[in-house]
Amino acid sequence: MNRITSSTAYALAAPAILALAACGQQAEDSPPANTGEWQIVPDASRLAYVSVKSGEVLETNRFTGLSGSVSENGTATVTIDLSSLETGVDIRNERMRDLFFEISDYPTATITAAIDPAAFADLSVGETTVQPLDATLSLKGVEGRIETQVDVTRTGPDRVVAMSSEPVIVYADAFGLGEGIEQLREIAGLASITPAVPVTFALTFERTR
């Protein structure tokens, strides 16, 4: 059996010790997560929802055009480019964009919220905190309230990811979208389209200053 000497053990452990020290130094040198301005990283963010047709057909849809920011005082804004909707089917994209969302008149949807910066003052790199989110969704000229919980993970000194803890249920009728759903149902020849839609998101923010 091979014998591990103390010098050999140190040589094996040294890289891990140095890595931990570097992480500790990085965390120590990093400014708190509640300072500075933060911007959404579009390529590293997603927002998706699931539509249910005829009670049993599920389709995943997503928006690829996301932008937004969180200011140092906690004002958060997310803008959704409704023309960036991707359903996986060209004709469905066209119907949803033009008939349902009416992007010629309402090109974007906006989510706004006031966040307590103090809740993130002690968030270290690699740590996650679960925070309540009380937000306002503005869609097609109608505003509605959204309450949920968000998992916020600090993945780097200047990067955080905010992810929905569970699907957020958005009710079409609350935003005056019932007529649009009925129009889509008739055009597609479907028995029904469920008006309650589960939405999930994972938004990556980077500190810009």
Side-chain angles (χ1 to χ4, degrees), residues 70-146:
V70 178
S71 67
E72 191 163 16
N73 67 8
T75 301
T77 303
V78 177
T79 299
I80 306 165
D81 178 2
L82 298 178
S83 68
S84 72
L85 176 66
E86 181 54 60
T87 69
V89 178
D90 289 342
I91 187 62
R92 191 187 302 151
N93 288 345
E94 183 179 335
R95 289 172 179 171
M96 289 295 295
R97 294 168 183 171
D98 298 338
L99 300 179
F100 186 70
F101 288 116
E102 299 180 277
I103 62 173
S104 60
D105 296 322
Y106 307 99
T108 62
T110 305
I111 302 169
T112 55
I115 297 171
D116 179 12
F120 307 98
D122 298 325
L123 188 64
S124 300
V125 175
E127 288 186 340
T128 298
T129 180
V130 180
Q131 294 293 322
L133 179 67
D134 187 350
T136 298
L137 170 61
S138 178
L139 177 61
K140 293 184 69 173
V142 179
E143 289 190 348
R145 187 177 177 184
I146 294 176

Side-chain angles (χ1 to χ4, degrees), residues 33-45:
N34 65 335
T35 62
E37 303 287 332
W38 298 77
Q39 295 285 334
I40 280 182
V41 182
D43 293 342
S45 301

